[in-house]
Amino acid sequence: MNGKLYGIGVGPGDPELLTLKAKRILEQVEVLLVPKSKMEKRSIALEIAKGAVDKDWQQVDLHMPMTADKAELIKSWQQAAKQIANILQEGKDAAFVTLGDPSLYSTFTYVMKHIKALAPEALIEIVPGISSINLMAATYQVPLAESEESVVIIPALKDKESLEQTINQFDNVVLLKAGNQIQKLSDILAELGQEKDFYYASRCGFADSYYTEDITELLDRKLDYLSTIIIKKKK
Amino acid sequence: MNGKLYGIGVGPGDPELLTLKAKRILEQVEVLLVPKSKMEKRSIALEIAKGAVDKDWQQVDLHMPMTADKAELIKSWQQAAKQIANILQEGKDAAFVTLGDPSLYSTFTYVMKHIKALAPEALIEIVPGISSINLMAATYQVPLAESEESVVIIPALKDKESLEQTINQFDNVVLLKAGNQIQKLSDILAELGQEKDFYYASRCGFADSYYTEDITELLDRKLDYLSTIIIKKKK
């Protein structure tokens, strides 16, 4: 197995937020591995990569369905691992492109586990990327955390009680995929009075991104799945 | 005030982990703002920037003492804000270079607050960078978080009880500046039995970095201030 697999974080949307290393590796590899929730859909990670690197890769789409069915998910990861192992076997280097950072909520880590099980000798390198969370903080010009503060990242809203407890416990709370639970959060923040600052972004990093610090703007609206909220203790 | 201020995350150490945008802006600006804990010391952020961009900037060192004295800190931030405002006033663009990401535990956010107070009209842009936390996860090839998991980042170990509670509460815990509290952590992990995976890195991103997954290697050793620990629920 002579090929090498790279897990490449292409960052949150702007091709300029790729790292120099990600760009160099994308220029070097022969094969581009493109995860797709539906095979006919365009891939955002691919578009970002193409925005930074002009190359005619051998493109291999990997089917990564968005489903809660664990058996179906495992089957898709195993299938992708087999496809990738075959490419490495041919001596080709391949880059798996993933939005944001491969270590934060990326499908790459699942596929990698299955490759390691299938081909323990496979050469793998992960290149970190800018996460949309860091871009959101940079855009609002508010720190995610400073000094002795902690920060917690929660990928889905829990029940109201545990969410309220977390918001009370931490100076900085980042909520991902929070679009459909704004009312619950609004109630919690109202109970806490003026103690917290609220920052919302949907599709952070993309051309159609939307930002607001006013939670009332968001009530009774259908919000994008890719919604992120930062809640900070007021200073 | 015609100059623009950039807060640039230069990433965790490898100049190749700068973003394309950070590189472009560093090539464009006239002035490089370099925070220094001691004025005679070399700056790691500056060395990273120089590793990626070959330019003869007008370099302005900013004194950012490492002290717990709040009054002294505020004075240094105000002083830096004044220096920067003067540069912007001259119509020069300036880049403040900071290790990792400007939104995570960076002095840039403090200085920025004072600039905004001093010169509300100042143009400011933050360019996010790769944090050493993301690089550490990439190096170990373990996710910081996946699926519905939360992750909490704690910059300094609290008392043993609250630390134990946090480790119990979260699937993924990142401890920063944890070098001098390994014994306490070892006790907690021993009490928890085989439930947790442990990853340690000191000076992650630098040539003299050190990694181990064996906490007993660390006991009774003097550990670097820049020590990071990831504790994950075993799967």
Side-chain angles (χ1 to χ4, degrees):
Chain A
M1 186 151 305
N2 292 318
K4 184 169 176 179
L5 170 65
Y6 295 91
I8 307 262
V10 298
D14 179 355
E16 263 210 304
L17 290 180
L18 252 83
T19 63
L20 305 176
K21 185 169 184 177
K23 185 170 192 278
R24 173 177 60 79
I25 291 171
L26 287 171
E27 284 166 348
Q28 285 174 352
V29 296
E30 193 170 343
V31 179
L32 206 64
L33 304 163
V34 181
K36 287 190 168 178
S37 56
K38 287 179 186 154
M39 291 305 263
E40 67 280 12
K41 266 178 79 170
R42 66 199 183 98
S43 156
I44 296 168
L46 173 63
E47 284 173 26
I48 298 170
K50 282 186 171 169
V53 179
D54 181 23
K55 173 161 178 168
D56 195 18
W57 295 279
Q58 177 190 340
Q59 185 181 327
V60 176
D61 292 353
L62 306 171
H63 187 219
M64 302 277 140
M66 290 253 269
T67 171
D69 181 339
K70 199 65 196 273
E72 196 188 337
L73 282 172
I74 291 175
K75 214 177 123 188
S76 70
W77 299 330
Q78 282 174 336
Q79 175 61 27
K82 263 184 224 162
Q83 288 177 267
I84 295 169
N86 286 341
I87 291 162
L88 302 180
Q89 199 81 56
E90 292 167 21
K92 292 176 179 169
D93 292 344
F96 184 116
V97 285
T98 183
L99 199 61
D101 178 44
S103 300
L104 273 173
Y105 308 107
S106 152
T107 50
F108 178 72
T109 50
Y110 296 107
V111 175
M112 181 178 64
K113 278 177 216 169
H114 286 277
I115 293 168
K116 285 184 175 180
L118 194 68
E121 75 282 17
L123 292 172
I124 302 176
E125 182 174 351
I126 299 178
V127 179
I130 304 287
S131 155
S132 65
I133 302 170
N134 300 266
L135 176 62
M136 178 173 169
T139 305
Y140 270 116
Q141 304 191 351
V142 292
L144 282 170
E146 52 187 9
S147 188
E148 304 286 284
E149 295 172 2
S150 296
V151 55
V152 59
I153 302 168
I154 300 176
L157 280 166
K158 316 274 165 167
D159 60 289
K160 191 180 163 198
E161 196 188 342
S162 65
L163 184 64
E164 188 160 4
Q165 196 190 326
T166 307
I167 289 173
N168 269 317
Q169 189 182 351
F170 291 96
D171 296 321
N172 305 288
V173 177
V174 179
L175 302 172
L176 309 177
K177 296 183 268 174
N180 58 350
Q181 309 249 5
I182 290 289
Q183 184 62 57
K184 198 189 281 176
L185 195 60
S186 172
D187 294 345
I188 293 172
L189 293 177
E191 283 166 31
L192 292 172
Q194 297 303 311
E195 285 176 37
K196 298 285 177 178
D197 286 324
F198 171 90
Y199 303 93
Y200 173 90
S202 66
R203 304 188 54 75
C204 182
F206 299 110
D208 56 348
S209 62
Y210 167 72
Y211 297 83
T212 182
E213 296 175 46
D214 180 3
I215 196 168
T216 64
E217 268 188 29
L218 303 172
L219 298 171
D220 307 317
R221 273 182 59 162
K222 179 146 175 48
L223 298 175
D224 196 277
Y225 172 76
L226 287 174
S227 291
T228 305
I229 289 166
I230 300 175
I231 298 165
K232 293 180 67 71
K233 194 177 171 184
K234 231 184 247 299
K235 279 178 202 162
Chain B
M1 186 151 304
N2 292 318
K4 184 168 176 179
L5 170 65
Y6 295 91
I8 307 262
V10 297
D14 179 355
E16 263 210 303
L17 289 180
L18 252 83
T19 63
L20 305 176
K21 184 169 184 177
K23 184 171 193 278
R24 173 177 59 80
I25 291 171
L26 287 171
E27 283 166 348
Q28 285 174 351
V29 296
E30 194 170 343
V31 179
L32 206 64
L33 303 163
V34 181
K36 287 190 168 179
S37 57
K38 286 180 185 154
M39 292 305 264
E40 68 279 12
K41 266 177 79 170
R42 67 198 182 97
S43 157
I44 296 167
L46 173 64
E47 284 173 26
I48 298 170
K50 282 187 171 170
V53 179
D54 182 23
K55 173 160 179 168
D56 194 19
W57 296 279
Q58 176 190 338
Q59 184 181 327
V60 176
D61 291 353
L62 306 171
H63 186 218
M64 302 276 138
M66 290 253 268
T67 171
D69 181 340
K70 198 67 195 272
E72 196 187 338
L73 282 172
I74 291 175
K75 214 177 123 188
S76 70
W77 299 330
Q78 282 174 335
Q79 174 61 27
K82 264 184 224 161
Q83 288 177 268
I84 295 169
N86 286 340
I87 292 162
L88 302 180
Q89 199 80 56
E90 293 167 21
K92 293 176 179 168
D93 291 345
F96 184 115
V97 286
T98 183
L99 199 61
D101 178 45
S103 301
L104 272 173
Y105 307 107
S106 152
T107 50
F108 178 72
T109 50
Y110 295 107
V111 175
M112 181 178 63
K113 278 177 217 168
H114 287 277
I115 294 168
K116 286 184 175 181
L118 194 68
E121 75 283 16
L123 292 173
I124 302 177
E125 182 174 351
I126 298 179
V127 180
I130 303 288
S131 155
S132 66
I133 302 170
N134 300 265
L135 175 62
M136 179 173 168
T139 305
Y140 269 116
Q141 304 190 352
V142 292
L144 283 170
E146 51 188 8
S147 187
E148 304 285 285
E149 295 173 2
S150 296
V151 55
V152 59
I153 302 169
I154 300 177
L157 280 166
K158 317 274 163 161
D159 61 288
K160 192 181 163 198
E161 196 188 342
S162 66
L163 184 64
E164 189 161 4
Q165 195 189 328
T166 307
I167 290 173
N168 269 317
Q169 189 183 353
F170 291 96
D171 296 321
N172 305 288
V173 177
V174 179
L175 302 172
L176 309 177
K177 296 184 266 172
N180 58 349
Q181 309 248 6
I182 289 290
Q183 185 61 59
K184 198 190 281 176
L185 194 60
S186 172
D187 294 345
I188 292 172
L189 293 178
E191 284 165 32
L192 292 173
Q194 298 303 310
E195 285 175 39
K196 298 285 178 178
D197 286 324
F198 171 89
Y199 303 92
Y200 173 90
S202 66
R203 304 188 55 75
C204 182
F206 299 110
D208 56 348
S209 61
Y210 167 73
Y211 296 84
T212 182
E213 296 175 46
D214 180 3
I215 196 167
T216 63
E217 267 188 28
L218 304 172
L219 298 170
D220 308 317
R221 273 182 59 162
K222 179 147 174 45
L223 298 175
D224 196 277
Y225 172 75
L226 288 174
S227 291
T228 305
I229 289 165
I230 300 175
I231 297 165
K232 292 180 68 71
K233 193 176 172 186
K234 230 184 249 298
K235 279 179 201 164

